[in-house]
Amino acid sequence: MMENYFLFIFMAFMLIILPGPDTAIITKNTISKRKAAGLQTTAGTLIALLIHTMAAVFGLSALIVKSAFLFSILKYAGAVYLIYLGCKSILFIIKKQPQAPSDPEQVNKFAKESNFRQGFLTNLLNPKVAVFFLTFLPQFAGKGDHAFFEFLALGLTYTLLTLIWFFFYIYLIHFVSDFMKKPTTMKAVEGLTGAVLILFGLKLALEKN
């Protein structure tokens, strides 16, 4: 039986609600492409978290963390992808004046299809998530025959908490959508999100292993 399970839930939730690349992507997609896009982005994030969980359970994350070469590949791939998404958002407001979408079917179909991929790759290519799973979760898992299942349960709990938070967060944004979908607000969100993602990407790329 795991000790301090409720303490883990509390601390994990506090970490989840801290703004990061996942929050930035989900915010942008929810505002610019409506609630369904935010949920699709969240689904991608959750699948990536499940992969991180299984990788940690089976020791693959430890291999990445211990190998400077593999860690660097993952780190720079994640940084490049975040910078790419950030530049894409900024270029959008430069090339085109954002308009409140009166018909959701008129929203760019390619962008719709990429919501899941954006959430998935943003989380999966972030080596800091792998490090987090290897440093945070073991503090709450016991040692011995049941360690495998306890580690797995903690990872699944973290994923479930992430689902609950982003589900609430997306519906909160949707609730105030009338204001958030004003052209000026959407333009500001696109620009701010782009800048934040670029900063996250640069921070990730320049961070020492």
Side-chain angles (χ1 to χ4, degrees):
M1 193 117 181
M2 286 180 289
E3 298 179 355
N4 302 320
Y5 182 66
F6 290 106
L7 176 61
F8 167 79
I9 291 177
F10 173 76
M11 294 187 67
F13 189 73
M14 291 297 102
L15 291 171
I16 289 169
I17 65 177
L18 289 175
D22 295 331
T23 304
I25 290 292
I26 290 171
T27 302
K28 182 183 81 68
N29 287 349
T30 302
I31 293 172
S32 63
K33 308 174 197 174
R34 301 197 175 186
K35 181 175 60 180
L39 294 173
Q40 291 165 9
T41 310
T42 300
T45 300
L46 296 175
I47 296 299
L49 284 175
L50 289 175
I51 293 175
H52 277 296
T53 297
M54 299 311 298
V57 168
F58 290 106
L60 298 177
S61 291
L63 178 63
I64 293 174
V65 172
K66 289 181 180 179
S67 171
F69 177 70
L70 292 176
F71 188 89
S72 294
I73 289 178
L74 191 61
K75 181 179 76 169
Y76 289 121
V80 168
Y81 187 68
L82 288 176
I83 293 171
Y84 160 75
L85 291 179
C87 291
K88 191 176 177 182
S89 292
I90 292 176
L91 286 174
F92 174 79
I93 64 174
I94 293 175
K95 290 183 178 180
K96 182 179 179 182
Q97 289 294 331
Q99 298 176 351
S102 55
D103 182 2
E105 296 300 324
Q106 295 177 354
V107 180
N108 187 288
K109 291 183 179 180
F110 174 79
K112 273 188 173 182
E113 294 172 356
S114 69
N115 297 324
F116 178 90
R117 184 173 66 249
Q118 288 178 12
F120 178 74
L121 292 179
T122 296
N123 190 279
L124 186 69
L125 295 178
N126 189 349
K128 295 173 72 174
V129 179
V131 173
F132 164 80
F133 271 78
L134 287 175
T135 56
F136 182 70
L137 267 61
Q139 298 180 46
F140 297 90
K143 297 180 180 180
D145 298 335
H146 301 290
F148 175 91
F149 297 102
E150 291 183 357
F151 208 102
L152 179 61
L154 290 172
L156 294 176
T157 299
Y158 185 87
T159 303
L160 178 61
L161 291 173
T162 302
L163 169 63
I164 293 171
W165 165 247
F166 279 130
F167 190 82
F168 167 78
Y169 181 70
I170 288 168
Y171 274 84
L172 178 62
I173 294 175
H174 182 70
F175 181 73
V176 295
S177 61
D178 288 342
F179 168 74
M180 300 299 286
K181 288 185 182 298
K182 289 182 178 179
T184 52
T185 305
M186 290 180 65
K187 185 176 180 180
V189 170
E190 287 281 353
L192 180 60
T193 302
V196 167
L197 289 173
I198 291 172
L199 288 174
F200 273 127
L202 291 173
K203 183 175 181 293
L204 182 60
L206 298 176
E207 218 168 38
K208 292 183 179 181
N209 292 359

